[in-house]
């Protein structure tokens, strides 16, 4: 094994370790987020002042596009090449660039409320 291969092997090993750690951290964050949401729900509050932290629940709306309905509304193949798959940021960009209008696609998505948990250190 060459020196370069050994170096790359070490990089690959560290990359793998970090990806495993990332998965574990994402799982723990998800569990903690759920506990925070449950506690706030029990206290019927979207904002909690704790000794060292402040918790805020912020409800955001996210669009979830129906691919078939969007295609029926935007059958132009050039637009589909730009979109490839319904992607919120791409669609928002096309609207901002006035390539497509908000009015034209108004029936192609559902609005979903997503609660964001924000924890700030005081």
């Amino acid at each position: 094994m060459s020196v370069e291969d050994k170096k790359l092997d070490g990089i690959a090993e560290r990359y793998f370790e970090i990806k495993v750690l990332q998965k574990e951290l994402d799982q723990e964050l998800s569990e903690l987020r759920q506990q925070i949401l449950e506690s706030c729900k029990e206290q019927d509050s979207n904002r909690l002042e704790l000794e060292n932290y402040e918790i805020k629940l912020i409800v955001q709306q996210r669009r979830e596009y129906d691919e078939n309905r969007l295609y029926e509304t935007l059958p132009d193949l050039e637009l589909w090449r730009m979109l490839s798959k319904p992607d919120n940021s791409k669609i928002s960009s096309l609207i901002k660039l006035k390539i497509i209008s908000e009015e034209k696609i108004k029936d192609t998505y559902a609005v979903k409320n997503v609660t964001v948990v924000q924890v700030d250190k005081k």
Side-chain angles (χ1 to χ4, degrees):
M1 186 182 277
S2 71
V3 173
E4 278 299 312
D5 286 347
K6 285 182 182 179
K7 180 179 177 183
L8 189 54
D9 191 60
I11 291 170
E13 178 183 16
R14 184 64 182 141
Y15 181 87
F16 180 81
E17 291 170 352
I18 291 173
K19 289 297 283 183
V20 169
L21 182 59
Q22 180 182 29
K23 186 175 179 181
E24 292 169 357
L25 290 172
D26 287 343
Q27 178 63 36
E28 185 175 356
L29 276 171
S30 177
E31 291 168 4
L32 293 171
R33 177 185 184 280
Q34 190 58 42
Q35 291 173 14
I36 289 171
L37 287 171
E38 288 171 9
S39 292
C40 289
K41 185 176 180 180
E42 286 172 7
Q43 297 186 38
D44 195 30
S45 178
N46 288 336
R47 185 168 186 240
L48 296 175
E49 293 276 343
L50 306 173
E51 185 176 334
N52 296 311
Y53 295 91
E54 176 183 21
I55 296 174
K56 296 178 199 170
L57 301 185
I58 303 162
V59 177
Q60 296 179 338
Q61 291 186 338
R62 294 188 184 156
R63 294 178 179 181
E64 294 184 343
Y65 288 90
D66 178 305
E67 190 170 343
N68 292 328
R69 292 171 81 185
L70 191 59
Y71 181 75
E72 289 170 7
T73 304
L74 303 170
D76 183 342
L77 290 178
E78 287 301 313
L79 284 176
W80 276 101
R81 283 191 191 110
M82 286 187 235
L83 292 172
S84 106
K85 176 181 169 191
D87 177 287
N88 287 349
S89 62
K90 288 180 185 177
I91 294 171
S92 293
S93 295
L94 291 172
I95 291 170
K96 286 179 186 172
L97 294 170
K98 299 186 190 241
I99 294 172
I100 58 177
S101 71
E102 181 81 36
E103 182 64 26
K104 188 170 187 173
I105 64 167
K106 70 180 180 182
D107 295 324
T108 65
Y109 60 85
V111 176
K112 176 182 174 184
N113 289 331
V114 178
T115 302
V116 177
V117 174
Q118 178 180 330
V119 177
D120 297 316
K121 189 167 177 90
K122 290 184 182 179

